């Protein structure tokens, strides 16, 4: 899928990882279809080669792994739940790339931390109302820190739509519907913010 090898949940390696690492508690427990939207969008709007990418709420890390493979990006996969990292590291190794992992909550990522990145991506991470504020604030901090692009993708849940509308109004973010038919049908929303 988009040049990546991705294991299904039922694959013996994934079952073994679940036994060893435990099931992730914050929904980083499977492949989410919105990852197709992120990869499709980035294929059409590529990152600069070698970009330093922060993958927020990484789960299995597929968005960041795609960036590492497609753009030779240096990827840091961030999640509040450390039990996702064995799944992300497994997929990185399976696809012949390396990632760094960082256990952190969105609200604890500082402006200083963000100066080390050229792009911030996040897929399917604004699924609760209480995540809207921290993700908006992180987007604002990233732009102040000089991050060239913040790209958040979602299937279109209400908290994400509110976040994207607020970023569109206050940060001049681009907010649009997006869909792809191949390799899997997926539709949702994209919010992209860049420094003005």
């Amino acid at each position: 899928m988009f040049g990546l090898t991705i294991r299904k949940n039922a694959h013996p390696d994934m079952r073994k990882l679940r036994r060893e690492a435990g099931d992730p508690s914050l929904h980083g427990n499977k492949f989410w279809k919105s990852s197709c939207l992120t990869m499709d969008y980035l294929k059409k709007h590529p990152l600069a080669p070698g970009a330093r990418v922060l993958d927020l709420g990484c789960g299995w890390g597929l968005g960041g792994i795609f960036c590492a493979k497609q753009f030779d990006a240096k990827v840091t996969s961030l999640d509040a739940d450390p039990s996702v990292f064995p799944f992300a590291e497994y997929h990185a190794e399976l696809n012949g790339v390396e990632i760094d992992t960082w256990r952190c909550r969105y609200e604890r990522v500082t402006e200083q931390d963000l100066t080390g990145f050229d792009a911030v991506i996040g897929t399917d991470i604004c699924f609760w109302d209480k995540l809207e504020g921290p993700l908006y604030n992180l987007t604002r901090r990233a732009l102040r820190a000089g991050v060239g692009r913040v790209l958040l993708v979602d299937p279109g849940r209400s908290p994400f739509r509110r976040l994207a509308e607020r970023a569109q109004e206050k940060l001049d973010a681009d907010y649009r519907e997006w869909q792809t038919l191949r390799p899997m049908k997926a539709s949702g929303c994209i919010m992209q913010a860049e420094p003005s």
Side-chain angles (χ1 to χ4, degrees), residues 28 33 52 66 75 81 110 116 120 135 144 151 175:
K33 281 199 328 185
R52 299 163 302 160
F66 172 80
V75 174
D81 181 358
T110 67
V120 173
L135 284 166
R144 281 198 312 246
L151 176 68
Y175 168 41

Side-chain angles (χ1 to χ4, degrees), residues 10-86:
H11 189 279
D13 288 351
M14 303 314 283
R15 289 201 306 263
K16 182 178 181 222
L17 278 174
R18 272 196 306 283
R19 281 193 306 273
E20 292 171 357
D23 270 324
S25 61
L26 294 173
H27 303 294
N29 59 344
K30 65 178 185 176
F31 169 79
W32 295 95
K33 281 199 328 185
S34 350
S35 295
C36 290
L37 299 176
T38 300
M39 293 180 223
D40 185 65
Y41 186 84
L42 286 170
K43 264 196 127 31
K44 293 175 172 107
H45 303 90
L47 296 174
R52 299 163 302 160
V53 175
L54 178 61
D55 183 6
L56 297 175
C58 67
W60 283 10
L62 301 175
I65 291 166
F66 172 80
C67 292
K69 191 157 185 167
Q70 190 76 24
F71 310 117
D72 196 28
K74 180 174 177 4
V75 174
T76 300
S77 298
L78 176 146
D79 209 288
D81 181 358
S83 65
V84 303
F85 296 143

Side-chain angles (χ1 to χ4, degrees), residues 4-196:
L4 296 186
T5 301
I6 302 168
R7 295 289 189 230
K8 293 185 176 177
N9 249 332
H11 189 279
D13 288 351
M14 303 314 283
R15 289 201 306 263
K16 182 178 181 222
L17 278 174
R18 272 196 306 283
R19 281 193 306 273
E20 292 171 357
D23 270 324
S25 61
L26 294 173
H27 303 294
N29 59 344
K30 65 178 185 176
F31 169 79
W32 295 95
K33 281 199 328 185
S34 350
S35 295
C36 290
L37 299 176
T38 300
M39 293 180 223
D40 185 65
Y41 186 84
L42 286 170
K43 264 196 127 31
K44 293 175 172 107
H45 303 90
L47 296 174
R52 299 163 302 160
V53 175
L54 178 61
D55 183 6
L56 297 175
C58 67
W60 283 10
L62 301 175
I65 291 166
F66 172 80
C67 292
K69 191 157 185 167
Q70 190 76 24
F71 310 117
D72 196 28
K74 180 174 177 4
V75 174
T76 300
S77 298
L78 176 146
D79 209 288
D81 181 358
S83 65
V84 303
F85 296 143
F87 297 88
E89 289 163 341
Y90 170 87
H91 276 99
E93 186 176 333
L94 185 66
N95 286 283
V97 299
E98 292 183 14
I99 58 169
D100 293 322
T101 58
W102 178 17
R103 181 184 183 183
C104 191
R105 299 182 70 80
Y106 305 139
E107 57 271 20
R108 295 185 183 259
V109 178
T110 67
E111 191 172 327
Q112 182 62 40
D113 293 329
L114 290 160
T115 61
F117 297 100
D118 303 304
V120 173
I121 65 170
T123 302
D124 219 336
I125 59 173
C126 194
F127 43 83
W128 291 327
D129 291 343
K130 68 180 183 180
L131 294 170
E132 177 189 338
L135 284 166
Y136 171 81
N137 290 332
L138 191 151
T139 300
R140 192 177 59 203
R141 287 193 305 276
L143 297 178
R144 281 198 312 246
V147 172
R149 184 191 310 189
V150 177
L151 176 68
L152 302 181
V153 179
D154 191 83
R157 295 185 189 90
S158 301
F160 179 82
R161 288 186 181 277
R162 287 192 304 270
L163 159 67
E165 286 164 5
R166 185 175 173 196
Q168 185 178 42
E169 179 186 335
K170 297 185 182 273
L171 304 175
D172 201 27
D174 180 42
Y175 168 41
R176 62 177 71 185
E177 303 293 315
W178 197 264
Q179 67 176 1
T180 183
L181 300 175
R182 290 184 164 69
M184 166 186 296
K185 187 175 179 183
S187 62
C189 309
I190 304 260
M191 184 214 83
Q192 179 171 280
E194 299 177 339
S196 47

